[in-house]
Amino acid sequence: MAATVLRHFSPISSSLKPPSRHRRFLHHNLLFPKIPFHSSLVKFGAENSEPQPPQPLPETDCPVPPEQQPINEYQSLSTSFPFAWASGDIVEYASRLFVTGASFAFFVGLPVCWFGSVGAEYEPVKRILAASSSGIFVVTLAVVRMYLGWAYVGNRLLSATVEYEETGWYDGQVWVKTPEVLARDRLLGSFSVKPILARLKNTLVILGLSLILVINLGDSPIATSYRTYKDPRDRSSLPIPGAYNDETARTFEPEAFCGEPSSDLL
């Protein structure tokens, strides 16, 4: 009886067995699971200020030479003369075109029209309109050149393939764009190049209408009516000293004075 009582009042730890190794492993992993941790994600101290390596560009495996890639052609065209005018502000774009046309008309067109023809001082309005038409024509040529350049780059940006030359014109190749490059190029072509082409088209329409209007005004009676005085080329009523005489003309050409009163009757 005493042995039974002593056994019941003995320390509990003495009657318990230590947990096995397998049970300790399960208990530790279930309650405190391990979280994967990569040392490359967080850097402490001076290592945190080191620049990370850049992500590889989509053109890493592109066989097209850099100067023939559409994205580089777009950047080069945006900074070249005069193609950069079309991609700038609308006010700056219009002012540059106006200054170009006015300068050519004043310094080139007007001297040619004024000193290159006889009697220009007697028809000034007609000569000024002719000089203005030359300035408009030069601006039209410049806008056409800009349109052709931007249209070429826009087609290469929107196309799914790129035609390029490895070393010369005789070894042309075609490269199919990757999805990343195609998405980037089409985004750039749709939102950057297409508005420029629309602006150039509207400019060509305005310049064409202006050129037609100026030419029609130059041939209209409005331009020829503004004369300072009689054109000296009209010599129908001017005598020629030493070569013309009324008496001699009446003697040899009496029919020319038919119907006119003779001097004898006066």
Side-chain angles (χ1 to χ4, degrees):
M1 186 68 180
T4 304
V5 174
L6 291 174
R7 186 174 65 239
H8 283 285
F9 285 92
S10 60
I12 298 177
S13 60
S14 62
S15 62
L16 296 177
K17 296 182 178 180
S20 61
R21 183 177 182 183
H22 179 68
R23 292 179 62 185
R24 283 180 298 173
F25 176 79
L26 293 177
H27 176 76
H28 181 74
N29 289 343
L30 290 176
L31 295 181
F32 306 99
K34 293 184 177 180
I35 300 176
F37 178 77
H38 299 280
S39 59
S40 60
L41 296 178
V42 179
K43 293 184 178 181
F44 299 94
E47 295 180 355
N48 195 20
S49 61
E50 294 181 359
Q52 299 295 328
Q55 297 294 331
L57 297 176
E59 294 88 349
T60 302
D61 299 332
C62 176
V64 183
E67 65 275 3
Q68 299 183 31
Q69 294 179 7
I71 182 65
N72 295 333
E73 291 176 342
Y74 168 79
Q75 295 176 355
S76 176
L77 202 68
S78 300
T79 57
S80 60
F81 173 84
F83 302 97
W85 295 2
S87 59
D89 184 64
I90 182 64
V91 177
E92 185 178 1
Y93 165 72
S95 61
R96 286 180 176 179
L97 292 182
F98 177 78
V99 170
T100 301
S103 300
F104 186 87
F106 183 77
F107 293 105
V108 179
L110 188 59
V112 171
C113 295
W114 197 272
F115 301 104
S117 59
V118 180
E121 62 274 10
Y122 303 104
E123 295 177 346
V125 177
K126 192 172 183 179
R127 299 303 186 272
I128 292 174
L129 291 176
S132 301
S133 64
S134 65
I136 296 175
F137 181 74
V138 169
V139 174
T140 304
L141 293 180
V143 175
V144 169
R145 181 66 185 92
M146 286 189 285
Y147 180 83
L148 294 177
W150 282 109
Y152 171 78
V153 173
N155 291 334
R156 288 176 66 85
L157 286 172
L158 298 175
S159 177
T161 58
V162 177
E163 298 179 357
Y164 67 97
E165 300 172 355
E166 290 182 346
T167 56
W169 59 268
Y170 47 83
D171 57 353
Q173 302 292 334
V174 177
W175 176 65
V176 180
K177 297 180 181 178
T178 61
E180 295 82 4
V181 175
L182 181 60
R184 183 203 60 190
D185 289 355
R186 286 187 173 178
L187 186 66
L188 184 63
S190 300
F191 291 94
S192 296
V193 179
K194 283 187 176 181
I196 295 175
L197 293 177
R199 176 186 294 182
L200 293 174
K201 286 181 181 179
N202 296 333
T203 305
L204 287 175
V205 172
I206 295 174
L207 290 174
L209 295 177
S210 302
L211 186 60
I212 294 174
L213 179 62
V214 170
I215 292 176
N216 291 332
L217 287 177
D219 295 335
S220 64
I222 300 176
T224 56
S225 61
Y226 289 96
R227 293 184 178 182
T228 55
Y229 45 88
K230 195 174 176 105
D231 193 345
R233 291 174 295 178
D234 187 9
R235 301 179 179 275
S236 58
S237 60
L238 295 178
I240 302 177
Y244 181 82
N245 194 324
D246 289 341
E247 297 181 359
T248 305
R250 290 179 185 276
T251 303
F252 294 97
E253 299 178 358
E255 64 275 2
F257 298 89
C258 181
E260 294 186 5
S262 60
S263 58
D264 298 335
L265 299 178
L266 296 178

